[in-house]
Amino acid sequence: MENMNLSKHISGQFTAELDDIRNRVLAMGGLVERQLEQAIDALSALDAELAQQVIVGDHKVNGMEVSIDEECTRIIAKRQPAASDLRLIIAISKTIADLERIGDACVRIAKAALDKRLNNQQPLLVSVENMGRHATRILHATLDALARMDADAALALHKEDAKLDREYEGIIRQLMTYMMEDPRSIPDILDVLWAARAVERVGDRCKNICEYIIYYVKGKDVRHTSYEEMEKDMQS
């Protein structure tokens, strides 16, 4: 009887540890989402003070990644999880790496906002802002799917990255036109280009997180597969 109670206690502890790292990754996601919103706001208004807040705040994102990753390693070593528990820990470990990289993208956007020369590029900044708002919505929905471990929502969101890519390609064409018409604008436009590229990478990272959700729920690695193949995997 004592051994049975001990097993239940250990199992309960393990469940609490898994719940804790899930909550921590969601808290990290919330922080990264705020960072992205503020970075886009800073770029739109060329607000240097807000941009600096984003840049300084990145150390919190980095710290959360390190602490969660250490906890994942400790749980694997101590608990030796199997099946779905192991998939959960792997999915979380991969997710925090992508969230940290979204944080890096936020810093790149914020640094572009520090360049006052962009005052002359307002039409281009509007395009990047619109793309950034779209990326923010994708990130928010991705974090919601992560909180619920909703594979169906993750599959639907996986397609959103293609839409963001098309917006990015449209901005690139717009930038090329500006540079050809006025070569002197190239240094300024490059800052807009790097900001747009950073926003595009946010979509890529969200797509990765959606794949981790599907991996956890379905037990299938859907990386580097087509959307059609992913649908088939979801149905099987």
Side-chain angles (χ1 to χ4, degrees), residues 89-106:
I89 295 169
I90 291 173
I92 286 175
S93 182
K94 290 178 178 292
T95 293
I96 59 174
D98 276 294
L99 287 175
E100 189 276 332
R101 289 182 177 92
I102 293 175
D104 290 342
C106 295

Side-chain angles (χ1 to χ4, degrees), residues 37-82:
E37 289 172 347
Q38 291 178 339
I40 298 301
D41 287 343
L43 183 65
S44 175
L46 294 180
D47 186 332
E49 183 177 349
L50 184 57
Q52 288 290 358
Q53 288 180 25
V54 174
I55 293 167
V56 171
D58 187 54
H59 80 278
K60 296 180 182 177
V61 176
N62 295 338
M64 293 179 84
E65 183 202 13
V66 171
S67 65
I68 296 170
D69 195 44
E70 287 176 345
E71 181 63 10
C72 288
T73 301
R74 187 195 68 79
I75 290 175
I76 290 173
K78 182 179 179 181
R79 303 296 187 187
Q80 298 181 344

Side-chain angles (χ1 to χ4, degrees), residues 2-214:
E2 289 181 357
N3 288 338
M4 184 180 296
N5 289 335
L6 178 60
S7 297
K8 288 181 178 179
H9 175 67
I10 292 173
S11 177
Q13 274 190 326
F14 186 23
T15 299
E17 289 169 358
L18 293 177
D19 287 342
D20 178 61
I21 60 169
R22 286 186 66 167
N23 290 334
R24 287 166 67 181
V25 74
L26 292 173
M28 181 182 178
L31 174 59
V32 170
E33 185 180 352
R34 288 193 297 276
Q35 286 279 96
L36 181 58
E37 289 172 347
Q38 291 178 339
I40 298 301
D41 287 343
L43 183 65
S44 175
L46 294 180
D47 186 332
E49 183 177 349
L50 184 57
Q52 288 290 358
Q53 288 180 25
V54 174
I55 293 167
V56 171
D58 187 54
H59 80 278
K60 296 180 182 177
V61 176
N62 295 338
M64 293 179 84
E65 183 202 13
V66 171
S67 65
I68 296 170
D69 195 44
E70 287 176 345
E71 181 63 10
C72 288
T73 301
R74 187 195 68 79
I75 290 175
I76 290 173
K78 182 179 179 181
R79 303 296 187 187
Q80 298 181 344
S84 64
D85 290 335
L86 180 59
R87 292 202 306 273
L88 174 62
I89 295 169
I90 291 173
I92 286 175
S93 182
K94 290 178 178 292
T95 293
I96 59 174
D98 276 294
L99 287 175
E100 189 276 332
R101 289 182 177 92
I102 293 175
D104 290 342
C106 295
V107 169
R108 286 194 288 274
I109 296 166
K111 285 182 176 178
L114 294 175
D115 190 347
K116 293 299 182 183
R117 293 178 302 176
L118 294 184
N119 277 313
N120 299 322
Q121 306 298 338
Q122 286 300 328
L124 295 176
L125 291 179
V126 169
S127 297
V128 177
E129 180 190 1
N130 291 338
M131 183 182 172
R133 301 302 179 197
H134 185 190
T136 303
R137 291 192 297 273
I138 293 172
L139 176 59
H140 179 81
T142 299
L143 293 172
D144 183 61
L146 179 68
R148 294 180 289 109
M149 282 300 176
D150 187 335
D152 291 327
L155 180 65
L157 282 165
H158 197 274
K159 291 194 296 185
E160 284 294 314
D161 181 56
K163 297 178 184 178
L164 204 64
D165 288 344
R166 287 194 291 272
E167 290 181 51
Y168 175 64
E169 290 165 3
I171 291 174
I172 293 299
R173 286 193 296 269
Q174 196 177 6
L175 293 175
M176 293 295 292
T177 300
Y178 271 77
M179 287 189 286
M180 287 188 291
E181 290 177 351
D182 183 9
R184 292 171 301 177
S185 69
I186 291 176
D188 299 347
I189 287 175
L190 284 177
D191 283 331
V192 181
L193 173 63
W194 301 136
R197 175 59 175 164
V199 173
E200 189 273 336
R201 293 299 290 160
V202 171
D204 292 341
R205 301 302 177 185
C206 289
K207 184 172 73 171
N208 290 347
I209 294 171
C210 288
E211 291 173 356
Y212 307 147
I213 294 169
I214 295 170

